[in-house]
Each structure stands twice: as C-alpha cells, then as structure tokens.
Amino acid sequence: MKYWLMKSEPSEYSIVDLEKDGVEMWDGVRNYQVRNFMRDEMRVGDLALFYHSNAGKETGVVGVMKIVRNAYPDPTQFDKKNKHYDAKSTHENPRWLCVDVEHLETFRQPLTLSEIKTKSEFSSIPLVQKGNRLSIMPLSDTIFNKMIFLSKNGG
DNA sequence: GCCAACGTTGGC
DNA sequence: GCCAACGTTGGC
C-alpha cells in the first residue's frame, strides 16, 4: 500500500465538497508525470492526504481520503464544454486518467504549509521544494503518518 | 493579482 | 533536436 498527497484548490473542489460527495472522481490531471503516478503506482486501498493549494493562510493538509478505483480514462478530456477538454485525446487512445477517491476524515485544524516548512523532516518532499508543480506526489509512510499526527496534535 | 518556475508546443 | 513563446501552477 502506498501513500500520497493530492492537491486541489478549494475554490475548485475542497475537502468539504468531498465530505458531502463521499466518493468522487479526481479528474483534471493534465501533467504526464502525475498521470504516470496514477497509472503505474496508485492502487485501490492507497491512502492520500487532501491538500488545499492556493488558499492563503488555509493552504495545507486538510484531511484524509482513500483511493477506491484504479486509474481509468478521465471523461473530462472528451467534453468540449469542460475546461480540461483535450482535442488531441481520443477514446481509442486517451491521454489522461483519473481515479476515484473516498472521503475518510476532515481535520479540525489544517496542517498548514507554513508549519510543514518549519519541520526539517519534511524538507525532502516535493511539496516544499522550489518550483515543484506536482499536483499528486508520493509520500513515505513515515512522512504520511507524521503529517497526520501533527494535524491532530497542533503542529 | 502578481509573478517565478516550469512544462508544452511548434516553427525552423 | 533546439529553443522561443506561451500557458499553467501555486505561493505570496
């Protein structure tokens, strides 16, 4: 079993939305490295931290979810009305994949990015490295559990 | 809203 | 295959 961190802008889709929906498609990934993570490494039963990006002081890890469906073609790539539409993708050879996630927990307090940056044990995560743009990244079990611990114990 | 950093595209 | 132009991400 693997562990992940998955980013979403809360103005687009937040942990509150996922809590309401229960299970939802994690669509809109348009980065090949991230697609390959989903295709090659992400599997049903993996756990992921939900991260709010671009959210001012609220930016940070806000909850936990579980992968409940392995990678499959992202339907938004075929939908001309969708902002993630990709004219170069075909049903025969789809470029982009998505997974389904299930809400497990919303933290009472987010573990903020500024808190994460103060901990040297997190310095190796792509999240805090300059210029990194992965919207999904793998985490070690140690890092994953440490983040959950800190989010429940006030940084 | 700004802008640095990065990935992608396409002309050559 | 190079690289300039462009679009996107995401912190601030």
Side-chain angles (χ1 to χ4, degrees):
Chain A
M1 167 164 125
K2 290 193 164 64
Y3 300 92
W4 305 91
L5 182 146
M6 299 169 74
K7 298 179 185 176
S8 177
E9 298 199 14
S11 58
E12 295 288 321
Y13 193 80
S14 76
I15 186 90
V16 177
D17 297 321
L18 183 61
E19 193 167 358
K20 281 184 209 147
D21 293 338
V23 173
E24 188 54 280
M25 183 171 69
W26 197 271
D27 61 4
V29 168
R30 296 294 182 269
N31 171 286
Y32 289 106
Q33 196 179 347
V34 172
R35 180 204 65 185
N36 294 348
F37 279 147
M38 291 196 292
R39 184 189 62 197
D40 301 334
E41 298 185 45
M42 190 176 272
R43 293 295 178 265
V44 168
D46 288 359
L47 296 179
L49 298 175
F50 195 128
Y51 177 90
H52 280 171
S53 63
N54 232 327
K57 278 194 276 187
E58 306 293 308
T59 298
V61 174
V62 293
V64 189
M65 54 197 171
K66 183 165 71 171
I67 310 304
V68 293
R69 184 173 170 187
N70 290 342
Y72 62 101
D74 179 346
T76 65
Q77 69 197 301
F78 306 122
D79 178 1
K80 284 187 181 170
K81 291 178 191 143
N82 193 284
K83 65 186 268 192
H84 299 297
Y85 174 68
D86 185 343
K88 294 184 179 165
S89 191
T90 64
H91 283 84
E92 294 70 34
N93 192 17
R95 278 191 177 186
W96 305 113
L97 303 173
C98 61
V99 295
D100 286 356
V101 297
E102 178 183 10
H103 178 271
L104 292 186
E105 184 179 359
T106 303
F107 299 144
R108 287 160 62 203
Q109 296 276 1
L111 174 62
T112 64
L113 179 61
S114 59
E115 286 164 345
I116 290 167
K117 282 180 168 171
T118 66
K119 310 276 181 199
S120 60
E121 60 263 49
F122 296 145
S123 61
S124 63
I125 313 173
L127 182 70
V128 298
Q129 286 163 9
K130 192 177 181 183
N132 187 275
R133 300 169 64 185
L134 291 177
S135 64
I136 297 179
M137 68 190 74
L139 299 177
S140 70
D141 59 345
T142 306
I143 297 286
F144 179 87
N145 287 314
K146 182 103 192 182
M147 286 196 168
I148 290 188
F149 176 84
L150 288 175
S151 64
K152 291 185 175 172
N153 294 275

